[in-house]
Amino acid sequence: MDKDRRYDVVIIGAGPAGLTAALYAGRARVKTVVLERGAPGGQLLNTEAIEDYPGFDHITGPELAQRMADQAVKFGVDLETARVTGIHRRGDTQVVQTEDGEYVADYVILTAGGEPLKLGIPGESEFQGRGVSQCAVCDGAFFKEEEVAVVGGGDAALEEGVFLTRFAKKVYIIHRREQFRAQAILVEAARKHPKVELITNTIVTEVKGEDGQVKGITLKDVVTGETRPLKVTGLFVFIGFQPNVQFFDHREHVEHDPLGFLVTDSTMQTSLPGVYAAGDVRSQLTRQITTAVGDATTAAIDAVKKLEAKKHEPTPVPVDLYG
Ligand code: NAP
């Protein structure tokens, strides 16, 4: 192993949780690297407007991401592009494998977030990127003056649905129940928007297209069982996500909830000694930027305390059993 790859703390993922853990570790002067497979920011990069991060009336996701990354780097943290493939323990250390070699650390803080869930209906994969999308900020502009549908009833669906009205002439938000899971303020904004139509108790059963582009979807009313076609050229799927926990060799040995999110104690430690989890990858009530940065602060402070304690541990004296 390259000796530069021996760190006190390796942070996996550079979303708000990873960059916050990096800030706290960097300020505590512990040797820290953040490994990120793409650009720093995580889901912030797909978020147009943030209005619920304290101190900012309004900031774009990419701008907040850039500020967080700059702040962490200012305190001496290394930010490296690497795709992590595994985490395992070797003696007292954690080994983080990447496609480009391994990193060794005393502690790992896993802040790798998750991947958007798919509906698993016919046509969804076939038309992915050709009308089917999971990112309104990335793809919304392709639908100027067109009609699009959004699936989901959570914060993301309602927020992104309203965002799409900047481009689309009509946005249908399709939710499988009557009650929305999203915050009331977001449901209210969608309900009163002239370009948005909320369709409840309804699921999408098929995506249809021609010449490689989405031309419509099939809706099914879950109360009456009736089906009907809806002409749209875009389908945005916001039905939650699954955690990125594929790094562990034997996932069954890491405690997780029924959806796969990692269970931690109050200091954000997972059931694996030396491995913390923070942000969207962690099992918890909600997944906000504010909760991600809170988790990460706790994890980093605890890791720093443990590193300090290790420094003051007496060095074991070899015992000469035969002396
Ligand atoms: P979410 O809160 O888990 O909501 C997922 C939605 O998709 C639910 O309404 C769910 O329906 C629906 N759904 C799930 N599987 C489905 C399926 N197979 N077919 C049809 N509908 C399905 O996910 P999210 O909206 O992506 O949000 C994830 C987390 O990020 C949440 O904690 C959220 O608060 C947070 N977030 C916050 C903001 C913000 O604060 N501004 C913005 C975006 C995200 P049911 O309700 O029937 O289960």
Side-chain angles (χ1 to χ4, degrees), residues 52 119 152-156 159 175-177 181 183 238-241 286-288:
D52 53 8
L119 289 163
D155 287 343
E159 205 169 67
H175 179 38
R176 63 184 177 181
R177 290 189 296 135
R181 185 180 289 270
Q183 300 166 54
F238 298 112
I239 59 167
F241 58 90
T286 187
R287 298 192 168 79
Q288 304 288 316

PDB file of all heavy atoms in Angstrom, residues 52 119 152-156 159 175-177 181 183 238-241 286-288, ligand 1:
ATOM      1  N   ASP A  52     -34.740  25.131   3.246  1.00  0.00           N
ATOM      2  CA  ASP A  52     -34.911  24.644   4.611  1.00  0.00           C
ATOM      3  C   ASP A  52     -33.579  24.313   5.268  1.00  0.00           C
ATOM      4  O   ASP A  52     -33.504  23.470   6.151  1.00  0.00           O
ATOM      5  CB  ASP A  52     -35.867  23.439   4.658  1.00  0.00           C
ATOM      6  CG  ASP A  52     -35.478  22.327   3.699  1.00  0.00           C
ATOM      7  OD1 ASP A  52     -34.375  22.417   3.099  1.00  0.00           O
ATOM      8  OD2 ASP A  52     -36.258  21.379   3.541  1.00  0.00           O
ATOM      9  N   LEU A 119     -39.660   1.820 -10.368  1.00  0.00           N
ATOM     10  CA  LEU A 119     -41.016   1.276 -10.280  1.00  0.00           C
ATOM     11  C   LEU A 119     -41.045  -0.206 -10.650  1.00  0.00           C
ATOM     12  O   LEU A 119     -41.883  -0.955 -10.154  1.00  0.00           O
ATOM     13  CB  LEU A 119     -41.952   2.040 -11.224  1.00  0.00           C
ATOM     14  CG  LEU A 119     -42.293   3.473 -10.797  1.00  0.00           C
ATOM     15  CD1 LEU A 119     -42.867   4.251 -11.976  1.00  0.00           C
ATOM     16  CD2 LEU A 119     -43.270   3.447  -9.636  1.00  0.00           C
ATOM     17  N   GLY A 152     -44.995   9.562  -7.209  1.00  0.00           N
ATOM     18  CA  GLY A 152     -44.543   9.619  -5.821  1.00  0.00           C
ATOM     19  C   GLY A 152     -45.371  10.612  -5.028  1.00  0.00           C
ATOM     20  O   GLY A 152     -45.992  11.511  -5.600  1.00  0.00           O
ATOM     21  N   GLY A 153     -45.355  10.437  -3.710  1.00  0.00           N
ATOM     22  CA  GLY A 153     -46.135  11.330  -2.854  1.00  0.00           C
ATOM     23  C   GLY A 153     -45.314  11.897  -1.720  1.00  0.00           C
ATOM     24  O   GLY A 153     -45.852  12.434  -0.756  1.00  0.00           O
ATOM     25  N   GLY A 154     -43.975  11.796  -1.828  1.00  0.00           N
ATOM     26  CA  GLY A 154     -43.089  12.307  -0.781  1.00  0.00           C
ATOM     27  C   GLY A 154     -42.591  13.714  -1.122  1.00  0.00           C
ATOM     28  O   GLY A 154     -43.005  14.312  -2.125  1.00  0.00           O
ATOM     29  N   ASP A 155     -41.695  14.225  -0.275  1.00  0.00           N
ATOM     30  CA  ASP A 155     -41.160  15.575  -0.480  1.00  0.00           C
ATOM     31  C   ASP A 155     -40.550  15.742  -1.871  1.00  0.00           C
ATOM     32  O   ASP A 155     -40.751  16.765  -2.530  1.00  0.00           O
ATOM     33  CB  ASP A 155     -40.061  15.860   0.559  1.00  0.00           C
ATOM     34  CG  ASP A 155     -40.623  16.076   1.950  1.00  0.00           C
ATOM     35  OD1 ASP A 155     -41.843  16.321   2.083  1.00  0.00           O
ATOM     36  OD2 ASP A 155     -39.838  15.999   2.912  1.00  0.00           O
ATOM     37  N   ALA A 156     -39.807  14.737  -2.295  1.00  0.00           N
ATOM     38  CA  ALA A 156     -39.100  14.866  -3.573  1.00  0.00           C
ATOM     39  C   ALA A 156     -40.097  15.018  -4.723  1.00  0.00           C
ATOM     40  O   ALA A 156     -39.952  15.907  -5.572  1.00  0.00           O
ATOM     41  CB  ALA A 156     -38.204  13.656  -3.804  1.00  0.00           C
ATOM     42  N   GLU A 159     -41.854  18.505  -4.523  1.00  0.00           N
ATOM     43  CA  GLU A 159     -40.930  19.608  -4.771  1.00  0.00           C
ATOM     44  C   GLU A 159     -40.479  19.620  -6.229  1.00  0.00           C
ATOM     45  O   GLU A 159     -40.516  20.646  -6.899  1.00  0.00           O
ATOM     46  CB  GLU A 159     -39.723  19.430  -3.850  1.00  0.00           C
ATOM     47  CG  GLU A 159     -39.007  20.697  -3.536  1.00  0.00           C
ATOM     48  CD  GLU A 159     -38.012  20.469  -2.407  1.00  0.00           C
ATOM     49  OE1 GLU A 159     -37.027  19.734  -2.617  1.00  0.00           O
ATOM     50  OE2 GLU A 159     -38.227  21.009  -1.323  1.00  0.00           O
ATOM     51  N   HIS A 175     -49.951   9.753  -7.348  1.00  0.00           N
ATOM     52  CA  HIS A 175     -49.623   9.148  -6.046  1.00  0.00           C
ATOM     53  C   HIS A 175     -50.561   7.973  -5.780  1.00  0.00           C
ATOM     54  O   HIS A 175     -51.756   8.044  -6.060  1.00  0.00           O
ATOM     55  CB  HIS A 175     -49.741  10.204  -4.955  1.00  0.00           C
ATOM     56  CG  HIS A 175     -49.441   9.693  -3.583  1.00  0.00           C
ATOM     57  ND1 HIS A 175     -48.441   8.766  -3.339  1.00  0.00           N
ATOM     58  CD2 HIS A 175     -50.004   9.962  -2.378  1.00  0.00           C
ATOM     59  CE1 HIS A 175     -48.407   8.500  -2.037  1.00  0.00           C
ATOM     60  NE2 HIS A 175     -49.350   9.205  -1.442  1.00  0.00           N
ATOM     61  N   ARG A 176     -50.012   6.935  -5.193  1.00  0.00           N
ATOM     62  CA  ARG A 176     -50.781   5.697  -5.034  1.00  0.00           C
ATOM     63  C   ARG A 176     -51.814   5.744  -3.911  1.00  0.00           C
ATOM     64  O   ARG A 176     -52.631   4.838  -3.795  1.00  0.00           O
ATOM     65  CB  ARG A 176     -49.842   4.517  -4.826  1.00  0.00           C
ATOM     66  CG  ARG A 176     -48.994   4.594  -3.563  1.00  0.00           C
ATOM     67  CD  ARG A 176     -48.031   3.432  -3.512  1.00  0.00           C
ATOM     68  NE  ARG A 176     -47.149   3.514  -2.355  1.00  0.00           N
ATOM     69  CZ  ARG A 176     -46.199   2.635  -2.098  1.00  0.00           C
ATOM     70  NH1 ARG A 176     -46.004   1.607  -2.916  1.00  0.00           N
ATOM     71  NH2 ARG A 176     -45.433   2.775  -1.041  1.00  0.00           N
ATOM     72  N   ARG A 177     -51.737   6.758  -3.045  1.00  0.00           N
ATOM     73  CA  ARG A 177     -52.707   6.873  -1.941  1.00  0.00           C
ATOM     74  C   ARG A 177     -53.428   8.209  -2.031  1.00  0.00           C
ATOM     75  O   ARG A 177     -53.100   9.063  -2.858  1.00  0.00           O
ATOM     76  CB  ARG A 177     -51.976   6.824  -0.596  1.00  0.00           C
ATOM     77  CG  ARG A 177     -51.404   5.497  -0.253  1.00  0.00           C
ATOM     78  CD  ARG A 177     -50.883   5.473   1.175  1.00  0.00           C
ATOM     79  NE  ARG A 177     -49.772   6.378   1.388  1.00  0.00           N
ATOM     80  CZ  ARG A 177     -49.650   7.192   2.430  1.00  0.00           C
ATOM     81  NH1 ARG A 177     -50.616   7.259   3.333  1.00  0.00           N
ATOM     82  NH2 ARG A 177     -48.582   7.968   2.578  1.00  0.00           N
ATOM     83  N   ARG A 181     -47.392  11.864   1.619  1.00  0.00           N
ATOM     84  CA  ARG A 181     -46.392  11.711   2.672  1.00  0.00           C
ATOM     85  C   ARG A 181     -45.611  13.029   2.842  1.00  0.00           C
ATOM     86  O   ARG A 181     -45.056  13.294   3.895  1.00  0.00           O
ATOM     87  CB  ARG A 181     -45.421  10.608   2.217  1.00  0.00           C
ATOM     88  CG  ARG A 181     -44.385  10.219   3.206  1.00  0.00           C
ATOM     89  CD  ARG A 181     -43.528   9.130   2.596  1.00  0.00           C
ATOM     90  NE  ARG A 181     -44.249   7.872   2.495  1.00  0.00           N
ATOM     91  CZ  ARG A 181     -44.275   6.952   3.442  1.00  0.00           C
ATOM     92  NH1 ARG A 181     -43.614   7.144   4.562  1.00  0.00           N
ATOM     93  NH2 ARG A 181     -44.941   5.837   3.277  1.00  0.00           N
ATOM     94  N   GLN A 183     -44.372  17.011   3.176  1.00  0.00           N
ATOM     95  CA  GLN A 183     -44.725  18.087   4.105  1.00  0.00           C
ATOM     96  C   GLN A 183     -45.895  18.891   3.532  1.00  0.00           C
ATOM     97  O   GLN A 183     -45.958  19.150   2.318  1.00  0.00           O
ATOM     98  CB  GLN A 183     -43.545  19.042   4.268  1.00  0.00           C
ATOM     99  CG  GLN A 183     -42.287  18.408   4.799  1.00  0.00           C
ATOM    100  CD  GLN A 183     -41.089  19.324   4.617  1.00  0.00           C
ATOM    101  OE1 GLN A 183     -41.094  20.465   5.043  1.00  0.00           O
ATOM    102  NE2 GLN A 183     -40.063  18.825   3.966  1.00  0.00           N
ATOM    103  N   PHE A 238     -39.991   9.575  -8.430  1.00  0.00           N
ATOM    104  CA  PHE A 238     -39.435   9.973  -7.122  1.00  0.00           C
ATOM    105  C   PHE A 238     -40.121   9.165  -6.038  1.00  0.00           C
ATOM    106  O   PHE A 238     -41.009   9.654  -5.348  1.00  0.00           O
ATOM    107  CB  PHE A 238     -39.659  11.475  -6.877  1.00  0.00           C
ATOM    108  CG  PHE A 238     -38.977  12.357  -7.876  1.00  0.00           C
ATOM    109  CD1 PHE A 238     -39.715  13.103  -8.776  1.00  0.00           C
ATOM    110  CD2 PHE A 238     -37.594  12.427  -7.927  1.00  0.00           C
ATOM    111  CE1 PHE A 238     -39.094  13.913  -9.707  1.00  0.00           C
ATOM    112  CE2 PHE A 238     -36.961  13.229  -8.859  1.00  0.00           C
ATOM    113  CZ  PHE A 238     -37.709  13.980  -9.752  1.00  0.00           C
ATOM    114  N   ILE A 239     -39.752   7.911  -5.916  1.00  0.00           N
ATOM    115  CA  ILE A 239     -40.450   7.032  -4.971  1.00  0.00           C
ATOM    116  C   ILE A 239     -39.516   6.564  -3.846  1.00  0.00           C
ATOM    117  O   ILE A 239     -39.725   5.536  -3.246  1.00  0.00           O
ATOM    118  CB  ILE A 239     -41.102   5.834  -5.697  1.00  0.00           C
ATOM    119  CG1 ILE A 239     -40.051   5.008  -6.433  1.00  0.00           C
ATOM    120  CG2 ILE A 239     -42.205   6.306  -6.646  1.00  0.00           C
ATOM    121  CD1 ILE A 239     -40.570   3.652  -6.904  1.00  0.00           C
ATOM    122  N   GLY A 240     -38.515   7.382  -3.558  1.00  0.00           N
ATOM    123  CA  GLY A 240     -37.587   7.030  -2.483  1.00  0.00           C
ATOM    124  C   GLY A 240     -36.327   6.380  -3.037  1.00  0.00           C
ATOM    125  O   GLY A 240     -36.123   6.342  -4.254  1.00  0.00           O
ATOM    126  N   PHE A 241     -35.520   5.903  -2.148  1.00  0.00           N
ATOM    127  CA  PHE A 241     -34.276   5.284  -2.618  1.00  0.00           C
ATOM    128  C   PHE A 241     -33.792   4.194  -1.681  1.00  0.00           C
ATOM    129  O   PHE A 241     -34.310   4.033  -0.587  1.00  0.00           O
ATOM    130  CB  PHE A 241     -33.193   6.344  -2.858  1.00  0.00           C
ATOM    131  CG  PHE A 241     -32.878   7.158  -1.657  1.00  0.00           C
ATOM    132  CD1 PHE A 241     -31.899   6.761  -0.772  1.00  0.00           C
ATOM    133  CD2 PHE A 241     -33.566   8.326  -1.406  1.00  0.00           C
ATOM    134  CE1 PHE A 241     -31.605   7.508   0.337  1.00  0.00           C
ATOM    135  CE2 PHE A 241     -33.286   9.081  -0.288  1.00  0.00           C
ATOM    136  CZ  PHE A 241     -32.310   8.671   0.582  1.00  0.00           C
ATOM    137  N   THR A 286     -36.167  10.565   9.221  1.00  0.00           N
ATOM    138  CA  THR A 286     -36.259  11.449   8.062  1.00  0.00           C
ATOM    139  C   THR A 286     -34.886  11.644   7.444  1.00  0.00           C
ATOM    140  O   THR A 286     -33.868  11.343   8.068  1.00  0.00           O
ATOM    141  CB  THR A 286     -36.869  12.802   8.480  1.00  0.00           C
ATOM    142  OG1 THR A 286     -37.100  13.576   7.302  1.00  0.00           O
ATOM    143  CG2 THR A 286     -35.963  13.586   9.415  1.00  0.00           C
ATOM    144  N   ARG A 287     -34.887  12.129   6.223  1.00  0.00           N
ATOM    145  CA  ARG A 287     -33.619  12.309   5.521  1.00  0.00           C
ATOM    146  C   ARG A 287     -33.547  13.722   4.972  1.00  0.00           C
ATOM    147  O   ARG A 287     -33.970  13.983   3.853  1.00  0.00           O
ATOM    148  CB  ARG A 287     -33.471  11.265   4.413  1.00  0.00           C
ATOM    149  CG  ARG A 287     -33.452   9.883   4.985  1.00  0.00           C
ATOM    150  CD  ARG A 287     -33.038   8.778   4.088  1.00  0.00           C
ATOM    151  NE  ARG A 287     -32.834   7.619   4.922  1.00  0.00           N
ATOM    152  CZ  ARG A 287     -33.824   6.855   5.385  1.00  0.00           C
ATOM    153  NH1 ARG A 287     -35.062   7.095   5.047  1.00  0.00           N
ATOM    154  NH2 ARG A 287     -33.557   5.838   6.173  1.00  0.00           N
ATOM    155  N   GLN A 288     -33.061  14.613   5.791  1.00  0.00           N
ATOM    156  CA  GLN A 288     -32.926  16.022   5.429  1.00  0.00           C
ATOM    157  C   GLN A 288     -31.441  16.372   5.385  1.00  0.00           C
ATOM    158  O   GLN A 288     -30.617  15.653   5.952  1.00  0.00           O
ATOM    159  CB  GLN A 288     -33.598  16.894   6.502  1.00  0.00           C
ATOM    160  CG  GLN A 288     -35.055  16.560   6.759  1.00  0.00           C
ATOM    161  CD  GLN A 288     -35.970  16.977   5.632  1.00  0.00           C
ATOM    162  OE1 GLN A 288     -35.841  18.072   5.096  1.00  0.00           O
ATOM    163  NE2 GLN A 288     -36.889  16.119   5.251  1.00  0.00           N
TER     164      GLN A 288
HETATM  165  P1  NAP B   1     -40.142   9.084   0.465  1.00  0.00           P
HETATM  166  O1  NAP B   1     -40.381  10.145   1.483  1.00  0.00           O
HETATM  167  O2  NAP B   1     -39.735   7.726   0.893  1.00  0.00           O
HETATM  168  O3  NAP B   1     -41.479   8.984  -0.391  1.00  0.00           O
HETATM  169  C1  NAP B   1     -41.609   8.044  -1.410  1.00  0.00           C
HETATM  170  C2  NAP B   1     -42.989   8.201  -2.019  1.00  0.00           C
HETATM  171  O4  NAP B   1     -43.083   7.319  -3.127  1.00  0.00           O
HETATM  172  C3  NAP B   1     -44.115   7.844  -1.050  1.00  0.00           C
HETATM  173  O5  NAP B   1     -45.180   8.736  -1.216  1.00  0.00           O
HETATM  174  C4  NAP B   1     -44.488   6.432  -1.476  1.00  0.00           C
HETATM  175  O6  NAP B   1     -45.841   6.152  -1.301  1.00  0.00           O
HETATM  176  C5  NAP B   1     -44.205   6.462  -2.951  1.00  0.00           C
HETATM  177  N1  NAP B   1     -43.847   5.142  -3.464  1.00  0.00           N
HETATM  178  C6  NAP B   1     -42.926   4.268  -2.976  1.00  0.00           C
HETATM  179  N2  NAP B   1     -42.861   3.169  -3.740  1.00  0.00           N
HETATM  180  C7  NAP B   1     -43.772   3.337  -4.722  1.00  0.00           C
HETATM  181  C8  NAP B   1     -44.167   2.548  -5.821  1.00  0.00           C
HETATM  182  N3  NAP B   1     -43.605   1.346  -6.079  1.00  0.00           N
HETATM  183  N4  NAP B   1     -45.130   3.032  -6.630  1.00  0.00           N
HETATM  184  C9  NAP B   1     -45.694   4.239  -6.403  1.00  0.00           C
HETATM  185  N5  NAP B   1     -45.351   5.041  -5.381  1.00  0.00           N
HETATM  186  C10 NAP B   1     -44.391   4.591  -4.544  1.00  0.00           C
HETATM  187  O7  NAP B   1     -39.026   9.493  -0.626  1.00  0.00           O
HETATM  188  P2  NAP B   1     -38.536  10.934  -1.155  1.00  0.00           P
HETATM  189  O8  NAP B   1     -39.666  11.832  -1.459  1.00  0.00           O
HETATM  190  O9  NAP B   1     -37.526  10.629  -2.208  1.00  0.00           O
HETATM  191  O10 NAP B   1     -37.786  11.524   0.102  1.00  0.00           O
HETATM  192  C11 NAP B   1     -36.725  10.770   0.697  1.00  0.00           C
HETATM  193  C12 NAP B   1     -36.256  11.519   1.927  1.00  0.00           C
HETATM  194  O11 NAP B   1     -35.664  12.755   1.530  1.00  0.00           O
HETATM  195  C13 NAP B   1     -37.410  11.874   2.873  1.00  0.00           C
HETATM  196  O12 NAP B   1     -36.981  11.741   4.194  1.00  0.00           O
HETATM  197  C14 NAP B   1     -37.703  13.298   2.555  1.00  0.00           C
HETATM  198  O13 NAP B   1     -38.242  14.012   3.640  1.00  0.00           O
HETATM  199  C15 NAP B   1     -36.335  13.852   2.159  1.00  0.00           C
HETATM  200  N6  NAP B   1     -36.475  14.984   1.218  1.00  0.00           N
HETATM  201  C16 NAP B   1     -36.692  16.195   1.766  1.00  0.00           C
HETATM  202  C17 NAP B   1     -36.858  17.296   0.942  1.00  0.00           C
HETATM  203  C18 NAP B   1     -37.107  18.623   1.586  1.00  0.00           C
HETATM  204  O14 NAP B   1     -37.148  18.697   2.795  1.00  0.00           O
HETATM  205  N7  NAP B   1     -37.303  19.687   0.868  1.00  0.00           N
HETATM  206  C19 NAP B   1     -36.811  17.142  -0.458  1.00  0.00           C
HETATM  207  C20 NAP B   1     -36.616  15.870  -0.985  1.00  0.00           C
HETATM  208  C21 NAP B   1     -36.464  14.779  -0.144  1.00  0.00           C
HETATM  209  P3  NAP B   1     -46.491   5.942   0.175  1.00  0.00           P
HETATM  210  O15 NAP B   1     -46.574   7.315   0.761  1.00  0.00           O
HETATM  211  O16 NAP B   1     -47.807   5.318  -0.135  1.00  0.00           O
HETATM  212  O17 NAP B   1     -45.547   5.032   0.884  1.00  0.00           O
END
